[in-house]
């Protein structure tokens, strides 16, 4: 195991009715004037907006609003948010939504305390030194941004989707009511579950030895997702299933599963080029890329694919031919993704083979290799894209 620091101080209020505490929590964490940030309207249709407003009003918390965050959140609205926060003297941002809304809130929080262009943080030109505190009311189990120090924003002018990272971006609190996720369309539920699963894979596929605690935690989260996702798709109002998936989403990405080990992140970075170019739902893009990454990487470095097959997918170990065992694991993963309605090729997500060189150029603009489990070159990533370019 490698040395690590881990400090993840987000306060979680989890369960039915948890949103009633939102106003109190803002007060507790020092907010006196709030920006209420949200997406394209789902919270107004499913009643979450009204519940949050009631909680703010009950705690006498003044607020101003900025809605309109789109999936794969854009820089344009972040600039608007930064101006609004400065003009209104906002000292706390409340994100009500999923990863896109939370990531947009994090970008505003950092940008409001910075004299330059907030995209500097996303382009590796500056480190975040200060940020407004944020809290979240989570409405979709997926990105894990409710407990993570990350934010991913699309620079819409240059069609570049990149992440920024700072411990200052971890939410002070996150309200997690699993009932709020019952209104999700099946596709979003499945894409979210896929994202959660891959967040764990990015950590599981590691060259670090002797990390059995985090290996076993990773396997537990993956098994939860593969048990609960078909169940919740059959029965969308199943509270227990929603609750397990929601907490899995947090555990998968606040890094408790990743400490002390090298992590990969190749599938995510390869996918981000797809969502930047075609506005693909992140989890659906991962459903296309991650199995392709696995098939490609298996040939070069099979080691971790054997426990992936036996411990997560229940494939019996073939001691004479462990490669066969490893391949069965990937096949079961692909069958699972198909079963929950996720895409498997470019044709299903509107991606074009002709754009592969452009995506590879962007991905390798500032680096020579991608990922860590196997360090992939431009040629490797090109082959991974080509293996799913079925249009
Ligand atoms: O905009 P509204 O109308 O709210 O609709 C949203 C959106 O269309 C809808 N939705 C959310 N909750 C709902 C609901 N619809 C009905 N009922 C509800 N309760 O779902 C759609 C997707 O929302 P979004 O926030 O985009 O989903 P997700 O949480 O998957 O976030 C995706 C973004 O997070 C980034 C992704 O790249 C992508 O941009 N990621 C962020 C990470 C992080 N900050 O740590 C890590 C991830 O790997 C990921 O990259
Ligand atoms: Zn993700």
């Amino acid at each position: 195991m490698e040395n690590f620091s881990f400090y993840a101080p987000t306060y979680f209020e989890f369960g039915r009715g948890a949103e009633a505490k939102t106003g109190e929590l803002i007060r507790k964490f020092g907010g006196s004037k709030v920006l209420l940030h949200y997406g394209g309207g789902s919270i107004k249709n499913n009643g979450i907006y009204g519940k949050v407003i009631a909680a703010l009003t009950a705690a006498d918390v003044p607020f101003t609003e900025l809605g309109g965050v789109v999936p794969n959140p854009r820089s344009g609205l972040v600039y608007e948010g930064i101006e609004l926060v400065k003009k209104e003297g906002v000292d706390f941002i409340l994100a009500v939504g999923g990863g896109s809304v939370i990531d947009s809130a994090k970008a505003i929080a950092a940008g409001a305390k910075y004299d330059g262009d907030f995209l500097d943080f996303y382009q590796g030109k500056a480190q975040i030194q200060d940020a407004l505190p944020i809290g979240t009311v989570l409405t979709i189990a997926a990105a894990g941004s409710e407990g993570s120090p990350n934010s991913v924003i699309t620079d819409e002018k240059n069609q570049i989707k990149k992440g920024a990272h700072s411990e200052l971006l971890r939410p002070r609190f996150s309200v997690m009511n699993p009932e709020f996720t019952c209104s999700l369309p099946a596709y979003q539920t499945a894409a979210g579950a896929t994202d959660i699963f891959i967040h764990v894979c990015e950590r599981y596929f590691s060259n670090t030895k002797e990390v059995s605690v985090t290996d076993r935690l990773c396997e537990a989260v993956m098994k939860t997702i593969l048990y609960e996702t078909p169940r919740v798709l059959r029965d969308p109002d199943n509270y227990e299933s929603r609750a397990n998936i929601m907490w899995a989403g947090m555990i998968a990405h606040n890094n408790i599963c990743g400490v002390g080990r090298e992590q990969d992140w190749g599938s995510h970075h390869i996918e981000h080029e797809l969502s930047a170019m075609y506005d693909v739902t992140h989890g659906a893009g991962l459903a296309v890329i991650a199995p392709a990454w696995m098939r490609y990487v298996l040939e070069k470095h099979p080691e971790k694919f054997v426990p992936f097959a036996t411990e997560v997918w229940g494939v019996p170990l073939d001691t004479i031919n462990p490669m066969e065992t490893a391949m069965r694991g990937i096949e079961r993963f692909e069958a699972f993704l198909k079963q929950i309605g996720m895409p498997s090729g470019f044709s299903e997500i509107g991606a074009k083979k002709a754009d592969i060189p452009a995506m590879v150029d962007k991905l390798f603009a500032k680096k020579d290799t991608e990922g860590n489990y196997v360090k992939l070159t431009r040629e490797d990533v090109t082959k991974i894209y080509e293996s799913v370019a079925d249009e």
Side-chain angles (χ1 to χ4, degrees):
M1 197 189 294
E2 296 169 5
N3 290 358
F4 64 87
S5 310
F6 184 56
Y7 179 65
T10 306
Y11 181 102
F12 295 100
E13 192 67 47
F14 191 99
R16 290 186 173 98
E19 68 284 358
K21 300 265 178 65
T22 309
E24 279 170 46
L25 286 167
I26 290 170
R27 290 280 183 213
K28 176 177 165 143
F29 289 100
S32 60
K33 178 85 194 275
V34 169
L35 175 70
L36 173 60
H37 200 35
Y38 54 90
S42 71
I43 63 164
K44 293 199 171 156
N45 299 330
N46 57 23
I48 295 172
Y49 177 83
K51 289 177 179 166
V52 171
I53 299 290
L56 296 182
T57 309
D60 210 10
V61 175
F63 63 91
T64 184
E65 295 183 34
L66 181 63
V69 180
V70 292
N72 301 317
R74 315 278 159 82
S75 46
L77 195 69
V78 174
Y79 290 119
E80 222 179 287
I82 293 169
E83 273 205 16
L84 185 62
V85 157
K86 288 182 176 167
K87 188 172 122 227
E88 299 284 332
V90 162
D91 60 10
F92 195 98
I93 304 178
L94 179 67
V96 184
S100 296
V101 175
I102 300 172
D103 286 4
S104 181
K106 287 174 175 176
I108 295 169
K113 293 279 190 174
Y114 181 59
D115 285 338
D117 182 348
F118 88 94
L119 280 175
D120 291 352
F121 303 131
Y122 295 77
Q123 293 164 349
K125 293 183 189 161
Q127 295 292 321
I128 297 170
Q129 305 290 350
D130 197 4
L132 288 174
I134 80 153
T136 88
V137 176
L138 186 65
T139 65
I140 171 172
S145 193
E146 66 278 11
S148 86
N150 309 315
S151 160
V152 188
I153 297 290
T154 300
D155 164 3
E156 54 204 307
K157 207 167 79 200
N158 300 306
Q159 271 195 329
I160 293 175
K161 187 179 178 189
K162 287 274 182 266
H165 170 108
S166 166
E167 289 302 325
L168 293 162
L169 297 184
R170 277 198 207 260
R172 297 295 202 278
F173 71 81
S174 282
V175 165
M176 300 171 75
N177 179 348
E179 287 175 339
F180 283 4
T181 64
C182 292
S183 56
L184 281 167
Y187 190 77
Q188 287 295 344
T189 297
T194 305
D195 192 19
I196 294 169
F197 191 95
I198 310 295
H199 287 164
V200 178
C201 290
E202 302 283 15
R203 296 172 164 97
Y204 192 67
F205 289 94
S206 168
N207 291 304
T208 311
K209 307 282 181 212
E210 305 282 0
V211 281
S212 51
V213 174
T214 41
D215 272 347
R216 300 293 87 73
L217 281 173
C218 287
E219 287 158 3
V221 176
M222 288 190 277
K223 284 161 87 166
T224 301
I225 291 301
L226 68 94
Y227 174 73
E228 297 292 2
T229 311
R231 195 170 163 223
V232 85
L233 291 174
R234 282 194 302 275
D235 180 12
D237 291 330
N238 185 323
Y239 177 84
E240 301 303 340
S241 209
R242 291 282 183 193
N244 278 300
I245 293 174
M246 199 175 212
W247 193 237
M250 206 299 291
I251 301 273
H253 200 44
N254 86 332
N255 212 26
I256 197 157
C257 292
V259 292
R261 53 197 292 148
E262 175 200 65
Q263 303 182 14
D264 189 73
W265 295 100
S267 296
H268 261 73
H269 296 153
I270 297 170
E271 190 290 320
H272 281 166
E273 299 305 332
L274 284 177
S275 38
M277 194 166 281
Y278 309 105
D279 210 7
V280 175
T281 299
H282 170 60
L286 285 172
V288 173
I289 295 300
W293 176 91
M294 288 183 182
R295 279 179 179 271
Y296 190 80
V297 162
L298 172 66
E299 299 297 325
K300 297 178 182 287
H301 191 1
E303 192 178 329
K304 218 54 202 196
F305 287 93
V306 176
F308 179 68
T310 58
E311 304 308 310
V312 181
W313 297 100
V315 178
L317 175 62
D318 182 340
T319 47
I320 297 171
N321 192 354
M323 205 59 175
E324 197 57 30
T325 308
M327 186 47 98
R328 293 288 87 77
I330 298 174
E331 286 168 2
R332 287 197 190 181
F333 178 41
E334 289 169 336
F336 166 79
L337 291 171
K338 192 165 181 206
Q339 180 198 6
I340 65 171
M342 285 290 97
S344 60
F346 272 22
S347 60
E348 292 167 85
I349 53 173
K352 298 270 171 286
K353 191 173 185 178
D355 291 332
I356 291 175
M359 290 192 283
V360 172
D361 280 349
K362 281 190 194 167
L363 183 62
F364 286 94
K366 288 188 184 153
K367 57 188 165 190
D368 298 325
T369 63
E370 177 54 66
N372 288 310
Y373 181 65
V374 170
K375 291 197 182 298
L376 300 169
T377 62
R378 293 176 63 96
E379 290 66 37
D380 295 323
V381 172
T382 301
K383 284 181 189 155
I384 290 172
Y385 279 132
E386 282 173 354
S387 72
V388 284
D390 58 350
E391 42 80 47

